Amino acid sequence: MPVKTLDNLFHETLRDIYYAERKIVRALPRMRRTAQSLELQDAFDHHKEETEDHIERLQKVFEMIDKRPRGKTCEAIDGIIEEAESIMAEFRHSPALDAGLLAAAQAVEHYEISRYGTLKAWAERLGLKDASKLLDETLREEAKADETLTRLAETAINSAAEARAA
């Protein structure tokens, strides 16, 4: 059996996040339609647009390493999206729906931040400077999206869920 290297790990992790981003871009419209808050709907719309850009950047990284863009099943993102679907079903029309959707969206962001941070570090280690720049651009956008969701939770969504329950 051949020895696996950081190159192999980089490629496999790239395939993982490619699958994840494609899955996310398909899940966001449903989350947007289900969300009750206009601010949360706008956040989902914005993130869908960014996610489409992330997919394009990943395709460029695949080109840089002479690999065909191809995903690999990511059980982590499948689980997070399954959790979001459960929230949408169980809390539909509930005051807590948006808080649950926002929490699921942040779980997605945290997963993406973890993957992009790792890929960026590995790209630097492997001397893939242009890939590192693309991955860093996406990493910064994911961190900003997480900050936006946190601010939205703290200023509106969580208190609205609590207030309506009273």
Side-chain angles (χ1 to χ4, degrees):
M1 192 162 111
V3 174
K4 298 282 186 170
T5 65
L6 188 57
D7 286 314
N8 302 116
L9 192 55
F10 180 81
H11 180 234
E12 289 301 307
T13 305
L14 195 62
R15 290 181 61 209
D16 173 277
I17 196 65
Y18 186 68
Y19 172 94
E21 292 285 27
R22 292 179 58 183
K23 187 94 174 196
I24 292 163
V25 85
R26 288 190 307 270
L28 282 166
R30 180 159 182 243
M31 292 173 73
R32 189 244 184 256
R33 284 190 306 273
T34 305
Q36 300 169 109
S37 158
L38 292 176
E39 292 171 298
L40 187 56
Q41 290 173 2
D42 289 345
F44 288 153
D45 282 339
H46 180 73
H47 195 61
K48 182 181 182 289
E49 290 172 18
E50 280 189 339
T51 302
E52 290 166 350
D53 292 340
H54 301 167
I55 291 168
E56 288 178 23
R57 284 188 205 125
L58 288 170
Q59 290 168 342
K60 289 177 184 175
V61 174
F62 277 107
E63 285 177 27
M64 290 174 185
I65 62 169
D66 294 320
K67 301 286 184 183
R68 185 172 63 97
R70 201 174 88 224
K72 174 180 113 175
T73 301
C74 173
E75 293 178 18
I77 211 67
D78 284 346
I80 293 169
I81 290 173
E82 184 178 312
E83 181 179 304
E85 290 169 354
S86 292
I87 290 167
M88 287 187 277
E90 292 176 36
F91 289 85
R92 191 161 195 81
H93 307 297
S94 158
L97 173 65
D98 284 353
L101 284 173
L102 196 143
Q106 282 198 287
V108 167
E109 293 306 325
H110 294 177
Y111 182 78
E112 291 174 309
I113 289 167
S114 168
R115 284 297 187 215
Y116 283 109
T118 297
L119 283 166
K120 177 190 169 204
W122 289 346
E124 289 171 1
R125 182 74 186 165
L126 294 167
L128 302 168
K129 290 181 174 45
D130 291 337
S132 176
K133 288 177 187 173
L134 289 174
L135 295 165
D136 183 59
E137 187 176 353
T138 299
L139 177 60
R140 284 185 276 116
E141 288 175 358
E142 298 293 8
K144 186 176 178 190
D146 183 51
E147 290 170 12
T148 298
L149 290 171
T150 295
R151 188 175 59 259
L152 190 53
E154 292 172 347
T155 61
I157 300 297
N158 291 345
S159 62
E162 183 179 51
R164 286 190 225 142

